[in-house]
Amino acid sequence: MKKIKIILYLGILLCVGNACSGELDQAPSGKISLEEVFKDNEKTMYYLNTCYRYIPVKGARYFFWSRGPVCWSDEAWDADDLDVNWASSSLFYNGNASASSHPVWSVGGEDKAMSYWDHYFSVIRNCSVFLANIETANVTNEADRKRWTAEAHLLRAYYYSELLRWFGCGLPIIKEAYELSQDFSEVTRSSYYEVVKFIIEDCDIALANSELPWRISTSSEQLRVTKALAEAIKARMILYSASPLYNDGENHWEEAYSIIKTSLANLRANGYELYNKVNQPSTYSSADAFLPNQYSQLFNEYFCTSATYSTTPADKETIYQLEDGQGDLANVDGIGAILGYKTGTCPSQELVDAFETIDGKPILDLSKPYVDEETHLVPNYNTQNTLYDPQNPYENRDPRFYASIYYNGSKRKCGWTFDETSTNYENFPASAGNRARVIATWAVDENNPENGGESRTGLSATARNKTRTGYYQRKFLHPFSGNENRLGGARYKDFRLGEVVLSFAEAAAEAGHLSEAYTAVNEIRARVGMPNLPEGLSKNELILRIHNERRVELALEGHRYFDVRRWSDPSGNLNKTDRYVTAIYITRKKDGTYKYERSQVNGNERKCYTNKYLKAAIPLNEVNSIIAITGENWQNTGW
Amino acid sequence: MIYKKTISIMLFFLMIMNLQLKAQGIRTEVSGTVTNKYGEPLSGAIISSENDKGLYITDFNGKYSFTVEENVSKITFALIGYKSQTKFVDKVIDVVLEEDAHATSENINFGFTKQSRDVLSNAVSSVSGQTLGKSLMSRLQGTFSGRLSGLTTVEETFQPLYEDVNMYIRGFSTYHGGTAGVVIDGILYDNYSHDVLFRISPEEVESVTVLKDGASQALYGLRGGKGLIVITTKRGIPGKLKVNVNIDETIQEPSYKPYFINSSTYASLRNQAAYNDGLGKNYFFSDEQIEKFNSKDDPLYPNTNWYNMLMRNLSHQQRVAVDATGGSDIVQYYANVNMIHQGGFWHTDQKDYNANNSMYRFNMRGNIDVKITPYLSGYANMAGNIIRRHDPAGVAGSGNDNIYSMLYYMPSTLYGPLTPTVYDAEGNVIDNGGEVITTTKIGSSPYGMLNRSGYYTQTNTNIYSQAGLNLDMSFVTPGLSIGGNVGYLSYITAVLTTTQDYARYTRDDDWNSLSFTQHGTTQNTDLAYGKSTALYGYLSYKGEVNYARNFDLHHLKSNLFGIYQNFNDNTGNVGSQYDFKRIYSGLEVQYDYDKRYAVKFDLGYSGSDYFPSGHRFLWTPGVSVAWIASNEAFVKESLPWLSLAKPRLSYGITGNDDIGLDRYGYLDQVKTSGGGKIGYLGYYTNESSFGNSSLRPEEIKKYNIGLDLGFANQLTLSVDFFKEKMDNGVFRSTSFIPSYQGISLGAFPAINFAEYENKGYEIELNYSKRINKDMALRIGGFLNYNKNIIKNIGESPNEDDYAYPYRSEGFPYGQSFGYLVDYSNGNGMFNFQKEIEASPEYSFGTPRLGDLKYQDLNGDNIIDEKDQAPIGNGSLPRYYFGFSGDFSYKNWELSFLFQGVADYYRNFTRLVSNESIYDGRYSDSHLNAWTEERWLNDEKISYPAISTSKSTSSEYNDYFNKDCSFIRLKNLELAYTLPQSKALKLGAKSIKIILGGQNLFTIDKLKTRDMVVEGSYGAFPIYRMYRLGIRAQF
């Protein structure tokens, strides 16, 4: 009897305990391992695509259809400051940013605080994993293997460069992906300069590769990286590393000068040149485009047109343009938004002041542009300048001014959905429809003081689709884009030859090669018909002019935010530039003339000028983890 | 596969055995009557032989008659509420059962096994289906509140037809949260257990048991950790056909109505908000306009009460249930048919369809037991149901709450709901009107959602079947039997969604005319139809061996089982494409000596496909002991009033495989998919997570110490203390992993290391006395207390200048953090400008007059996240209690149930954020909001200054942390049983008429109707219900 019992018990236990455990195995789950990826040519190629997944989004693609750093610098004021008070610009202006409430994020990275740090490091890991496996991967074509290897190196350099620009601090150099079991207490970070050298090393590997092209010539390969990009990244980052904020007290200008010089020469040797003629005269040279001369026409055309992928493109200046267009600019950015959703970027009076008069003379004394250097309410005019009239301020300016900014009295043709009544005698009394009108950004009309006259495009302290500053952005807006004809903006050009030329001018001047600096900056000026810089400037005077040239040439392209930072001493702040941003307050007088006064936008200071704002905060969780692991605090000063 | 084989082998075995059986021995006819001490016949008393085999049940008149086999010498008479008696077999046995306030003869069903309460050594609580039936809730889980000690119920939502209750046994056993598992007739249903319970009516339920301690949960292995609710359905009773008919008509109404402010008050508050924001005194409305709203006679200045317009005050619920039971020695059956209809609360006026909610549920059950041969018996349970729910479209499930909350966002100053017909001077219609009115900020008006958006119909069909065989193998050795069963549950949902859109109109700015302009581009469209289906199913096989035998005073009972379970989910949930597979097996041995010393040993061995091969299975042992001191002769003699004294002790390990990871969390998840940046390079590779190839199930060690005391057979006291510890919790310990290593922290492998602890106690007290023949009373209650703490999840603390560097470790599960209000000036608000100037700077905005004054806990003169402090004490109430009583006098019965919680806080900071959504939402709280005038006049201020935009008072803070302790009269019932003669005249054996009420009143500390002690803020409130019911037995 007992035997039977024992057999029965054992039988069931065996069945349950052992034989049946196989019942719990999962069916093929559709998941693969990394080893399998690199056993297959196609999957290896897919993994390279993974290395591309965090190519930055810039231009108007910062959250929430914002120009991001443009609006966080003294170039512009974001008219979304009130309506989206939890988003980036408001966090900057109110000083509400913190290491856990990170203000910098992009449309593609809604997970806010973490996006930049996490995303770039994760894709850097992908590049490293790819590089560790590519040599032994089953790639059918050796040319592919070479080119893919070069691309992964270059992409890693690109991502590191973005991390350096935003966070401005030393970073761990990760050449090989960490194991899951890595002890992170052993990891140290390298200095800013060392990281830049690592970036250059990766770029040089890419440049030495025979299969990496200088230019992408078919649109199916758009966004793939090129040797030209490698040169441009090198030029940008060595310039940054030599700048006061990042140089740790060392002088790298000579090195920067020679690296950028080589890069520039290589770019020119491989067909890159400044954009120097109007290619679509029927649009940009037409009277309806309201661009006064060929220089402003070509300059506006360049930014409103995507570069094409061809061996002989019309645009030979663009080195790397990003994937996304600038969106429906007529609806969310600039003047077009009067009839649409939001205006966003409103160029500042400070930016307008930076445009010289046509005779090549600055309007303000560049060494001390404002009497009160913080508030900017009283300009310190350049006594040499005779053309500028503060009560007729938009006459006789640099052609780039007319291509970049809409001001009181400039004209635009597009579809307007509202009638203008006879009382709007300043404009073209006309009905709704596709027609030209005068932009009227006045705040007060003495003829009609109650509501500021018709002034649909006038100054407003609160409206989301009106200007905060008295100016609207024009640089990226197609001349005819409007409500009836919404033209998505051109792709954003992250690297162009113009930037490299100006970087060279700056590095050359800093390193004392003044005549080369003159040549470079004059090339940029000549392209838009501006006279050469006067001879005989001192090194410091020349540097001031080059900084100003950079501000004007690269206006609204997202450089200024980084430039004022890198030019600052590590202990400094942005008190003189970013604290108070001014608007032009225009009164239309009874006789039809205007009174121009300067006023602070919304009467408030911005709080994003203090020392800590020189560098973005490293996400709080990350800093906490690192402290817990190493006891070392990586956080940037002040956060 | 192996299970199918096992079962067929068993069946074959059974057939062989039957062929070999010898003829039966001589039988004895036994008959008699069972009564109580008042001579009243007791029906339903169970008469069983020595070896626990159910033989017969007394009929309506307390009579029984059956034959016993030759070798049976003693039979036992048992009935809940009475002490059981054992008698020697004789031809006539009349028994008078003695009342037993301690219910010692109650058979506790653990799901897989049973045990009599007198030798029970575990911590369990139980309730009968009959008691649950007093509740008027349509879902079975709705009837549990306040009835089962150790069970905390949280009523999550009261949306019509979607009411739901979350069930927590002893709070949270893991820091993953999660609710208790459900076992129905011996089969464990953990996925969708809410759904499974919903489809059972209290009428079908014999009993519900809550398994609280580790030893009672051990057999459930890695699904035992969160505790189990064991449902046992009714089975047939041999005897003549008995039919019960229950008919109920129930009226339901919202138990409270938030205050709906009138238009002049709304306009004043809106102005006040703008004034507080520095926008001037009359930013939205002029004083004349407010006056016109106030006069209420100007049609241009309406006072629209959107609540009254779109909500009904009452709705109905009807129920009819019929059950029948009966049978012979050979076949017994129980059958039940139950139908319920529940109406909705919406007021709709769409002619083409009615989107108001309604729900029909029809369920039936047939449980059959058959004695195939003297040794072989079998049973089959067949249950099925159809539920049809009807709702406004686009809001299925949670959306009724959306419509409800929108009612309170609609300004009462808004004309509506539809544009008026416009006539010209001659009276000709210029514009038919009838378009939906909304505001520029409110996208969809509740009127539009109810009447112009279509409807939604969901039909759920559920079939539940189970069949088993049991072979008495006493021919091998007395007391041995083997058995097996197969269970299957399938669930299918078919959804019809019809949708349409509508044009929105907004009123023009000019208040002196009633003109409207279309807003947006939406148009009135026709109904569009869409259909979808979802289904899931459980398949379960079980084989078991039982051995139960008494040797003199030694009572031994043991069970060995194995179960294979497969859960198949096609509902489209994440990970549901892979079947869920589990294996449970176990051994239980119950032993007692002379009902004085009892020990129970459990050993579970279970596996789940959540874990990698080699780490899949978990041993879960449990042991419990009890000393029934009151059965000792010396106690009986020296302490005769001590009718029950039983210390108990138990220890058990339980497991948990619900660890919050995707399916197959132990595998890397690398996938290729479309959407790469570079079209030329084709797809891209996505590493969505990394697996830990040595992941193990979580183990929870549970200790319990308990004591049952009974006095004079009237008063019963039970006390249990427990402690639960886990130290191999699964967690992504990423706080020591920097992000710069590149793997998304959410994808980093999870490991077994987290530590967690949960402890508490339960006290249960019951007094029961039959005072005389006409009068009886019972009164009792329980109190649960539980408190948990997350001890280690590898959290890396914030820097030292944080007032509270840790945000999880050292705190209970669900701990919130926020700002503490500084009440040093009395009201905690900035009352004058100097106070603001003296205040530390706020990092999240600039405070205004009347905004909350937060404490600078770290003293750095900046109020920021570093100053946040714990608020409240986790997501569950610490104390939970129920208190009930039954009185009967002659034909009258009165019963009540109070239920409540204490040490429970909820936060209503959302009230402040909601002020600035759409056109502002104001209710009675806002009437006492801070204004300078109120402050200067020393009037009551119980709310910070209102605002038109996000103010600093909307940061999560403790001003709005409210004590949500409450006590509620959950249930009250008055029943009258017709005298038997009258019932017989009407053709029934008995007829009972019931007047009942549910949720009749609640006492709480909240002084505004804006906040609620449970459910979601701004969502449908709990209902109050009144019932008229008839129970007839035939």
Side-chain angles (χ1 to χ4, degrees), chain B residues 24 151 345 442 498 738 803 838 900 921:
Chain B
Q24 298 296 309
L151 179 72
F345 284 108
I442 295 173
T498 71
R921 176 199 185 279

Side-chain angles (χ1 to χ4, degrees), chain A residues 113-400:
Chain A
M114 304 301 286
S115 58
Y116 279 57
W117 184 272
D118 284 10
H119 286 178
Y120 290 135
F121 271 118
S122 77
V123 74
I124 284 168
R125 177 183 164 278
N126 291 134
C127 294
S128 299
V129 167
F130 187 84
L131 289 171
N133 287 282
I134 184 65
E135 277 188 33
T136 53
N138 277 332
V139 178
T140 43
N141 181 337
E142 284 308 312
D144 277 348
R145 191 196 303 277
K146 279 189 143 181
R147 181 171 174 191
W148 295 352
T149 308
E151 285 179 79
H153 276 289
L154 182 47
L155 285 167
R156 186 164 70 183
Y158 193 5
Y159 298 127
Y160 261 114
S161 76
E162 287 294 314
L163 283 169
L164 282 187
R165 288 180 94 200
W166 286 107
F167 296 101
C169 57
L171 300 170
I173 291 175
I174 307 168
K175 291 186 185 181
E176 283 166 27
Y178 294 111
E179 298 289 326
L180 288 176
S181 56
Q182 171 70 39
D183 175 5
F184 292 98
S185 66
E186 296 166 356
V187 177
T188 53
R189 56 175 178 166
S190 307
S191 71
Y192 194 100
Y193 177 73
E194 285 162 346
V195 180
V196 169
K197 294 295 274 185
F198 176 59
I199 289 171
I200 290 171
E201 186 186 312
D202 260 342
C203 288
D204 285 341
I205 294 173
L207 284 165
N209 188 296
S210 57
E211 295 300 326
L212 189 68
W214 276 96
R215 192 187 284 287
I216 297 299
S217 54
T218 60
S219 56
S220 63
E221 291 195 52
Q222 64 182 34
L223 215 63
R224 286 187 85 169
V225 294
T226 60
K227 285 185 177 170
L229 176 64
E231 297 286 12
I233 290 173
K234 280 171 71 175
R236 182 182 284 178
M237 294 322 294
I238 195 68
L239 178 78
Y240 273 51
S241 72
S243 302
L245 183 60
Y246 307 124
N247 65 14
D248 292 325
E250 290 166 25
N251 189 333
H252 300 298
W253 286 118
E254 187 60 34
E255 185 186 9
Y257 156 76
S258 79
I259 286 177
I260 303 174
K261 186 173 181 175
T262 312
S263 288
L264 191 55
N266 287 343
L267 285 166
R268 290 193 206 274
N270 286 283
Y272 287 87
E273 57 188 62
L274 292 184
Y275 196 82
N276 56 8
K277 76 176 218 297
V278 180
N279 288 287
Q280 301 168 54
S282 63
T283 300
Y284 293 91
S285 302
S286 82
D288 289 341
F290 295 107
L291 290 161
N293 53 39
Q294 52 155 325
Y295 302 115
S296 56
Q297 289 158 14
L298 78 87
F299 200 70
N300 189 239
E301 179 184 273
Y302 176 72
F303 293 102
C304 294
T305 316
S306 300
T308 52
Y309 297 96
S310 137
T311 47
T312 54
D315 171 1
K316 296 192 181 66
E317 174 164 354
T318 301
I319 293 169
Y320 194 71
Q321 70 181 359
L322 299 179
E323 175 186 32
D324 294 300
Q326 299 301 290
D328 182 1
L329 287 165
N331 202 31
V332 296
D333 201 22
I335 180 73
I338 286 298
L339 305 168
Y341 186 59
K342 68 188 201 95
T343 287
T345 317
C346 303
S348 65
Q349 180 60 41
E350 285 81 354
L351 174 61
V352 171
D353 286 341
F355 287 92
E356 298 170 1
T357 43
I358 191 72
D359 56 358
K361 295 205 168 87
I363 287 164
L364 306 180
D365 179 347
L366 293 182
S367 62
K368 186 178 195 267
Y370 301 97
V371 173
D372 178 336
E373 291 184 88
E374 281 172 19
T375 59
H376 308 173
L377 288 177
V378 183
N380 183 23
Y381 291 114
N382 175 10
T383 49
Q384 312 275 303
N385 190 314
T386 52
L387 271 179
Y388 182 73
D389 172 4
Q391 290 308 320
N392 192 10
Y394 309 125
E395 289 291 304
N396 301 320
R397 304 292 289 267
D398 183 328
R400 289 172 292 189

Side-chain angles (χ1 to χ4, degrees), chain A residues 617-629:
Chain A
I618 299 175
L620 181 68
N621 293 342
E622 180 75 344
V623 169
N624 288 344
S625 293
I626 294 168
I627 292 173
I629 301 161

Side-chain angles (χ1 to χ4, degrees), chain A residues 439-515:
Chain A
I439 309 296
T441 67
W442 66 61
V444 180
D445 180 3
E446 289 184 348
N447 295 292
N448 191 355
E450 285 216 351
N451 57 8
E454 181 258 0
S455 194
R456 290 286 289 256
T457 48
L459 187 79
S460 164
T462 52
R464 198 178 186 184
N465 59 354
K466 286 191 170 187
T467 178
R468 292 279 183 283
T469 59
Y471 302 103
Y472 292 94
Q473 173 187 262
R474 151 152 226 190
K475 196 166 188 177
F476 308 98
L477 181 63
H478 189 283
F480 302 144
S481 180
N483 245 26
E484 84 298 350
N485 180 28
R486 290 185 176 176
L487 299 168
R491 294 181 172 190
Y492 178 76
K493 294 162 178 179
D494 194 19
F495 290 90
R496 62 181 175 100
L497 193 68
E499 182 203 341
V500 184
V501 174
L502 285 168
S503 298
F504 176 65
E506 185 178 336
E510 292 279 5
H513 307 281
L514 297 194
S515 69

Side-chain angles (χ1 to χ4, degrees), chain A residues 512-548:
Chain A
H513 307 281
L514 297 194
S515 69
E516 284 179 84
Y518 265 109
T519 315
V521 72
N522 285 338
E523 183 190 355
I524 293 292
R525 292 168 70 83
R527 181 252 294 265
V528 291
M530 289 297 286
N532 285 350
L533 290 182
E535 298 288 333
L537 294 174
S538 72
K539 177 175 164 183
N540 283 345
E541 284 167 343
L542 180 59
I543 289 171
L544 279 179
R545 293 301 294 263
I546 292 169
H547 284 184
N548 197 55

